Amino acid sequence: MEQEVINTMMPRIGDIAPDFKAVTTKGPIQFSNFAKDKWVVMFSHPADFTPVCTTEMSGFAERKSEFDALNAELLGLSIDSIHSHLAWVNNVKEKTGVYFDFPIIADIDMKVSKLYGMLQPNESETAAVRAVFFIDPSKKIRLIMYYPLNVGRNMNEILRVLEALQVADKYKVALPLNWVKGDKVIVPPPKTLDEMNARIADNSLEKVDFYLAKKSL
Ligand code: BEZ
């Protein structure tokens, strides 16, 4: 079957997040000036007034205080008008009491979706996929998730990786499989024979071998 190939470069981990201007439910933004000195969790959803998206957006709203605690701003996006966004936010508030108290980009011209590889035409030509970009305070993209239209994301995982990125930066460590806050962390493996011998002699670490050693923070 013929597949549509798009000729745009998708942002990658380590890239500086492409700058853009956008209209949001909290007013216009220039991304390079948005959330100065904070992390940004920027996420797209396929469409307003759809069921999976409503559960996901409600999940972001209900756990916003945990993003605040991690110095992270939320920034939603879909290829819908600002009027649709406002009506949806109001509808969900009226029906469930959950208020989407973070900016949602009205990307009706698809500019931002295309810039961030959120429009994946073999999944949908008109709706953004479920993307999540984790962007650090220097505006570098640190982690990217893409989910299809029919599978909702996992809020525990979104918060877990945000915290993992911050812990990795702060303590210069790496995080093992299924790491959650409080678990031991991986100390960087030695790079020289001297470091290797020091690691072998170090009894303060939980070691499988010199290259796989963990410690508590
Ligand atoms: C949903 O959010 O339920 C949805 C949106 C677009 C396509 C399929 C499902």
Side-chain angles (χ1 to χ4, degrees):
M1 197 207 284
E2 200 174 307
Q3 298 264 299
E4 184 176 347
V5 178
I6 42 175
N7 207 7
T8 52
M9 190 77 164
M10 311 240 298
R12 294 165 301 193
I13 292 172
D15 291 354
I16 294 298
D19 196 17
F20 58 85
K21 275 186 186 163
V23 171
T24 85
T25 51
K26 298 262 189 177
I29 62 164
Q30 174 89 45
F31 187 66
S32 51
N33 293 326
F34 178 75
K36 285 257 186 227
D37 303 321
K38 290 183 154 197
W39 286 73
V40 178
V41 177
M42 181 163 85
F43 51 95
S44 53
H45 67 272
D48 298 348
F49 293 100
T50 54
V52 178
C53 298
T54 303
T55 63
E56 290 189 312
M57 295 295 273
S58 301
F60 279 110
E62 286 171 326
R63 300 190 67 177
K64 184 172 177 298
S65 62
E66 293 172 68
F67 289 98
D68 291 341
L70 291 169
N71 190 37
E73 289 285 330
L74 296 173
L75 179 58
L77 174 151
S78 74
I79 301 168
D80 286 295
S81 70
I82 200 71
H83 311 293
S84 168
H85 282 347
L86 297 181
W88 186 40
V89 172
N90 188 53
N91 178 260
V92 175
K93 186 177 168 214
E94 280 182 1
K95 299 286 178 199
T96 70
V98 177
Y99 185 54
F100 303 164
D101 192 14
F102 47 80
I104 307 169
I105 295 170
D107 193 33
I108 198 77
D109 59 4
M110 305 185 183
K111 254 196 219 150
V112 184
S113 314
K114 287 181 179 167
L115 195 59
Y116 278 78
M118 294 164 170
L119 195 62
Q120 304 195 6
N122 295 314
E123 177 71 352
S124 168
E125 289 184 349
T126 53
V129 297
R130 302 180 193 282
V132 192
F133 284 80
F134 298 79
I135 300 167
D136 73 17
S138 72
K139 290 281 187 277
K140 188 186 279 189
I141 297 170
R142 301 291 301 280
L143 193 150
I144 303 171
M145 297 173 171
Y146 288 118
Y147 279 55
L149 268 52
N150 56 359
V151 177
R153 288 157 284 197
N154 181 312
M155 201 53 62
N156 291 332
E157 175 65 358
I158 290 171
L159 281 155
R160 185 190 79 90
V161 296
L162 177 61
E163 183 143 38
L165 289 165
Q166 296 183 3
V167 166
D169 285 359
K170 182 170 178 187
Y171 296 100
K172 309 280 178 259
V173 293
L175 292 318
L177 173 76
N178 295 338
W179 177 88
V180 289
K181 189 178 183 177
D183 288 355
K184 289 187 173 171
V185 301
I186 293 178
V187 292
K191 294 194 189 70
T192 64
L193 287 172
D194 282 350
E195 286 177 12
M196 179 188 75
N197 290 325
R199 177 66 55 81
I200 289 166
D202 184 346
N203 291 322
S204 72
L205 302 172
E206 177 190 302
K207 271 182 288 183
V208 172
D209 207 329
F210 69 88
Y211 63 86
L212 172 47
K214 293 184 186 174
K215 67 175 182 183
S216 299
L217 288 176

